[in-house]
Amino acid sequence: MGEAANMLPVGEVWRLLKKGEVVGEIVIEDGDFPWLSGPVPARSRLRRRAAYAEPRLRVLLPFTSHGTLMFSRCTGFPFSRDVSAIHPLGGGQYAVHHRGEEFSKEPACTAQAAAALVVARMQETWGPAVAGTEHDLRDRETQ
């Protein structure tokens, strides 16, 4: 898989917490990331590694749709729609779409810079993804 593949956290255990209590665990196997059902396609590895390297993104629920890497602050569907998304442009370049703003392919940036842009737009109060849907998340935040 090459030198970069060694950055995968093989054997690491990710825990899903609910109110501080462990409610599930995922063990990362060679070449797998827990939000996918199988190996990470080569074209997606760099972007996913860049996101995983950001501690604040690592605690969210990552998912893809039409090639775009998105993040949710909750684990159930419908997912939250307030975290920025990373779009591949090709040639190792990415664009970040900040929710609520018009999408632009400019400025194009590296995967690491795109992940940093997503984190920069996150509110400080956003923590690990919570069990439940976007509706459950909103109910908790208004209490």
Side-chain angles (χ1 to χ4, degrees), residues 31-119:
D32 288 342
F33 268 45
W35 56 85
L36 298 174
S37 59
V40 178
R43 67 184 183 280
S44 299
R45 285 190 189 113
L46 182 61
R47 180 175 43 159
R48 291 169 201 254
R49 279 194 203 103
Y52 180 83
E54 290 284 353
R56 293 200 61 214
L57 293 181
R58 193 180 318 146
V59 298
L60 299 178
L61 175 76
F63 64 100
T64 56
S65 178
H66 299 91
T68 297
L69 179 58
M70 300 180 186
F71 305 91
S72 176
R73 297 189 305 121
C74 58
T75 61
F77 185 83
F79 301 124
S80 67
R81 294 171 284 174
D82 47 6
V83 183
S84 300
I86 302 174
H87 298 269
L89 299 176
Q93 295 292 295
Y94 302 87
V96 176
H97 176 221
H98 301 294
R99 304 301 174 105
E101 297 179 12
E102 275 195 46
F103 176 72
S104 173
K105 292 182 179 181
E106 299 294 331
C109 55
T110 66
Q112 292 84 359
L117 286 171
V118 172
V119 170

Side-chain angles (χ1 to χ4, degrees), residues 18-19 130-132 135-143:
K18 182 176 183 181
K19 296 182 180 178
V130 299
H135 309 295
D136 299 323
L137 178 64
R138 300 289 174 236
D139 288 346
R140 288 181 191 161
E141 291 179 338
T142 58
Q143 293 177 353

